[in-house]
Amino acid sequence: MTLEVGDIVICTVDRIAGTTVFVKIHNNKTEEGSIILSEIAPGRIRNLRDYVVPKKIITCKVLRISGDRIELSLRRVTQKEEKEVKEKYNQEKSYISIFKGIVGENAEKIIEKIKENESLYDFIEEAKENSSNLEKLVGKTNSEKIMNILKTQKKKKIIIKKEFNLTTTAPNGLELIKEIFDKINIEIKY
């Protein structure tokens, strides 16, 4: 899996040199990226260590790739993008521990083989639909064990809360608004 401009990646802060932050990018290869001061946060930064410290895990956006230099941005990552990438990262860590628990010593080799073509997360998501590729790598019995564990994992429920005001000048306005929301099937408090 190669990085492209615009990708959102998980990184660990390696070191801070002057106004540049150097990070290790979490992907198949150990790659190093850099973040300049203006890409840490919007506005004036009084203390760089308020935002980044060595060993901190952060989410960054790839701005430029020139040769072996990868320039990243911390401030251009939206909360939604950060949440999605961190969820995938945590789920992938879970998948790795499942592999190690079932496959044993060969888990590292199998994971490396998977990561040559795609991320482990994407591979497992495909395997949930069609486990033939997984069977080829780990065997039928191990594949069945992995699939049974994956089926017992629960998806997180997401609750969306938003507050807004609706007004109408119609004499039966409250009934009209209730009719609209009855069709949508949501909880209303007023």
Side-chain angles (χ1 to χ4, degrees), residues 56-155:
K56 182 178 181 181
I57 293 176
I58 57 175
T59 307
C60 298
K61 185 176 232 172
V62 178
L63 295 180
R64 276 177 230 85
I65 301 172
S66 54
D68 61 340
R69 286 187 51 200
I70 301 171
E71 295 178 28
L72 305 166
S73 172
L74 181 61
R75 74 179 177 94
R76 295 185 193 200
V77 179
T78 64
Q79 284 181 332
K80 180 183 175 191
E81 290 171 330
E82 181 177 7
K83 185 179 177 190
E84 287 174 2
V85 170
K86 282 192 176 177
E87 263 183 35
K88 273 187 176 181
Y89 176 71
N90 290 333
Q91 191 65 47
E92 194 165 295
K93 282 172 58 177
S94 169
Y95 292 158
I96 289 171
S97 64
I98 291 169
F99 263 81
K100 287 181 179 176
I102 292 177
V103 179
E105 297 173 3
N106 295 333
E108 290 293 328
K109 292 176 187 172
I110 292 169
I111 291 168
E112 289 299 318
K113 195 171 186 178
I114 292 169
K115 286 186 173 183
E116 287 174 5
N117 300 323
E118 59 186 326
S119 73
L120 181 63
Y121 178 85
D122 293 335
F123 179 82
I124 296 295
E125 291 301 313
E126 284 178 23
K128 286 179 181 178
E129 303 298 321
N130 181 10
S131 62
S132 61
N133 289 337
L134 183 61
E135 284 179 21
K136 290 175 189 173
L137 288 173
V138 298
K140 188 164 181 72
T141 56
N142 286 340
S143 173
E144 287 173 358
K145 289 178 186 176
I146 291 171
M147 295 312 292
N148 287 335
I149 291 172
L150 294 175
K151 286 175 185 170
T152 60
Q153 284 185 335
K154 295 179 181 174
K155 275 279 201 186

